[in-house]
Amino acid sequence: MTDCCCEVTTADAGDDQTVSVTYATLDGNIPTIGCGRWTTSGSAVIKNKKKYNTKVSGLSAGNNTFAWTISLDCKDCPCAETSVDTVIITVE
């Protein structure tokens, strides 16, 4: 059994937002251990998927869900620890 080199920073995608426009700024936490990456299942465009406070555009009316994942995939480490948190941006 291989020991993991460390635990990643717990992901915090920030507070849910309500906007009246089709763009916003995501507000995840800065990882101290691991690397962060934003994803979405919707059609919004994430400007920089690896930046904790990146901008998004092309939001659809209603709820837009984004996941902030912090993992050790960026390191030469024998484990694949991850932490995920989601945020919803609602366009009214």
Side-chain angles (χ1 to χ4, degrees):
M1 182 173 168
T2 303
D3 289 335
C4 187
C5 53
C6 54
E7 293 182 20
V8 296
T9 302
T10 300
D12 182 352
D15 295 330
D16 291 347
Q17 302 177 42
T18 300
V19 297
S20 59
V21 292
T22 59
Y23 55 89
T25 300
L26 297 172
D27 190 25
N29 61 322
I30 300 171
T32 54
I33 300 173
C35 300
R37 183 170 187 85
W38 287 106
T39 56
T40 183
S41 58
S43 59
V45 175
I46 302 169
K47 183 172 182 178
N48 183 341
K49 293 179 180 182
K50 295 180 180 179
K51 188 174 179 187
Y52 72 97
N53 63 346
T54 194
K55 297 185 183 314
V56 292
S57 60
L59 297 171
S60 302
N63 292 341
N64 299 263
T65 303
F66 297 88
W68 180 233
T69 302
I70 299 176
S71 69
L72 292 175
D73 292 346
C74 60
K75 306 287 183 203
D76 183 19
C77 194
C79 62
E81 297 254 343
T82 59
S83 178
V84 181
D85 190 34
T86 58
V87 64
I88 297 173
I89 300 176
T90 304
V91 178
E92 294 186 321

